[in-house]
Amino acid sequence: MRRTALAAGLLLLTACGANPTAATGSGAPTVAPEPTSTTAHPTHLFLRVLPQHLPGPIAREAVITTPAGTIVAGGLLDGDASSATAYLLTAGGGVRRMPALPVPVHDTAGALLAGRPLVIGGGNASEQDVVQEWDGHRWSVVGHLPQARSDLVAATVGGRVLVLGGYDGSRPAEPGILASSDGRRWRTIGRLPVPVRYPASTVLGGAVWLFGGERSGSEQRAIQRVDPRTGAARVVSELPIGLGHAVAVALGGRVLVVGGRTGPDTLSARQWWFDPGTGRVTPAGRLSRPLADAAVARLGAHTVVVGGESPADTDHLVELTLR
């Protein structure tokens, strides 16, 4: 997708009726959204831009949380170029350069499997099927997906990595749910009832959840639950709007869906809570600027949104805290 390059600003959380308070460390204000109607969960979400920055603006990258820190690999650079760059972010604010990926990719997915970081699929001049692994010294291609896939998501559950959604270069979206215990051999364990590319995803309650996504140029509303043991998938609820290219993170027993696109050229600043116990989706405030095609990771004690398009690529790390 071609993008219009505009200046990106700081991301600040906003909501009706909330008063800003000073954030420590970054100089950026943070705003709590309106409390939700339930008392079963913490009700105030705070956001601040961390003082640490990425080495450069990036979006559509693979992000992998490891015991040593967060690996950022690949991604889409300004000018629609695929990146082979990889580096490790540490909780103390350090950045350690890593050797380059053998295959530059964007619209890719990352996963940690048995302690081994994997960069799975993605696109550059065409969609890729490569699985690239970090062995502690270098990246290498260790396996291949059954078909090329970009615009996909990955999740590690129960000693296996699952690949869901995506685009093979011809069909509108890939329905097959793939699983592997080693990153080398893959098999199809199920099918999505609503095939999508660019969904938001997270793991909560032993299940993999997909939110929205894109199909045939149209943003989708379906919320899909996948059993990682059997591959059984079903639609359990809907987002209030069609939404793709968002990110999702499990916080306090619920899922927060952040940003995304409501159309090919329309970025969203809205956020939503999803309660898996009730299937309800409720507003969770707004970003002061829209954000899409980012990633979520743990960086030390922080849950952070990494990079993304706003609409130009950003180098920010944005902390999410629930109190």
Side-chain angles (χ1 to χ4, degrees), residues 58-235:
I58 197 73
R60 307 176 187 230
E61 71 277 23
V63 171
I64 309 159
T65 298
T66 77
T70 295
I71 293 174
V72 179
L76 191 65
L77 304 170
D78 284 335
D80 292 329
S82 297
S83 174
T85 299
Y87 47 85
L88 179 76
L89 304 175
T90 66
V95 177
R96 190 178 78 203
R97 291 282 182 175
M98 301 171 67
L101 297 171
V103 181
V105 284
H106 68 276
D107 286 332
T108 185
L112 187 69
L113 181 63
R116 296 178 290 112
L118 302 176
V119 174
I120 304 169
N124 47 40
S126 62
E127 277 60 47
Q128 301 293 308
D129 64 4
V130 294
V131 179
Q132 305 182 75
E133 178 185 288
W134 173 251
D135 66 3
H137 303 284
R138 64 188 180 92
W139 294 96
S140 59
V141 175
V142 297
H144 296 268
L145 300 174
Q147 75 279 108
R149 284 200 195 195
S150 64
D151 318 342
L152 69 163
V153 294
T156 303
V157 190
R160 295 193 301 178
V161 60
L162 271 62
V163 163
L164 307 100
Y167 176 62
D168 71 351
S170 59
R171 293 195 289 185
E174 284 299 313
I177 301 168
L178 306 178
S180 175
S181 58
D182 59 9
R184 292 157 173 78
R185 295 173 293 273
W186 297 82
R187 64 187 183 94
T188 301
I189 62 169
R191 294 174 66 86
L192 294 176
V194 182
V196 287
R197 52 196 289 207
Y198 296 116
S201 71
T202 193
V203 176
L204 179 63
V208 181
W209 300 85
L210 299 185
F211 298 84
E214 179 186 317
R215 185 178 183 185
S216 300
S218 176
E219 313 306 326
Q220 303 295 303
R221 297 175 59 186
I223 299 175
Q224 304 182 74
R225 181 188 188 277
V226 179
D227 185 328
R229 297 168 300 170
T230 66
R234 59 191 177 94
V235 175

Side-chain angles (χ1 to χ4, degrees), residues 240-258:
I241 58 174
L243 188 67
H245 303 258
V247 293
V249 58
L251 289 173
R254 294 179 294 173
V255 178
L256 179 70
V257 180
V258 179

Side-chain angles (χ1 to χ4, degrees), residues 276-293:
T278 64
R280 292 185 60 207
V281 179
T282 53
R286 300 176 65 93
L287 303 166
S288 67
R289 294 186 66 90
L291 180 69
D293 295 298

